[in-house]
Amino acid sequence: MKSARCLRTVVIVGSLTVSIPLSLAGTASADPITEALANTPCSYAQVTAALNEQAPALAGQLSHRPDMQANLQQFLAMPVDQRQQQLAQQQAVNPQLQAILAAQIGPQVMQVANTCMNY
């Protein structure tokens, strides 16, 4: 249940992809995870394909949540500046949760965001 809540937060802000609101020190555009999420050129189909291959547990959780799927689609459809703004807002709301998410699923989210264009 805890991982589902983490995934929901990541997907709402941006997923995965994968997902994915992750905070490190600094502004939303300063850390590599947030940069990858905000700047990914990938479509929803590419992100979910990358998730299925690289992070099957996260992909499984996403597949059971139409609301998270819609949030991820909406996030990926935004221009980069709006993605960055949304990520910054989410980080400001609960920086401690963001740090936990970064530690738990950050590497998977970053990998998906950086490789999804290959799908």
Side-chain angles (χ1 to χ4, degrees):
M1 192 60 134
K2 187 176 185 178
S3 63
R5 185 175 300 150
C6 291
L7 177 63
R8 180 169 188 236
T9 302
V10 170
V11 173
I12 287 170
V13 174
S15 260
L16 350 129
T17 111
V18 171
S19 63
I20 345 33
L22 304 167
S23 71
L24 301 172
T27 65
S29 62
D31 70 79
I33 297 170
T34 302
E35 277 293 315
L37 288 171
N39 295 315
T40 185
C42 298
S43 67
Y44 176 78
Q46 288 173 305
V47 168
T48 55
L51 268 174
N52 285 326
E53 187 172 308
Q54 298 174 15
L58 293 176
Q61 291 176 11
L62 179 63
S63 71
H64 296 300
R65 296 292 305 269
D67 59 326
M68 285 192 253
Q69 294 169 22
N71 288 332
L72 180 57
Q73 289 172 343
Q74 182 180 23
F75 178 80
L76 292 171
M78 291 179 184
V80 171
D81 62 329
Q82 287 181 0
R83 291 183 199 175
Q84 290 171 336
Q85 184 177 45
Q86 187 172 8
L87 289 166
Q89 289 171 346
Q90 183 66 26
Q91 290 173 344
V93 170
N94 192 339
Q96 293 162 336
L97 174 61
Q98 305 313 316
I100 292 168
L101 290 173
Q104 290 181 352
I105 61 175
Q108 292 173 314
V109 170
M110 194 164 149
Q111 181 180 4
V112 167
N114 287 328
T115 62
C116 56
M117 69 286 300
N118 298 323
Y119 293 84

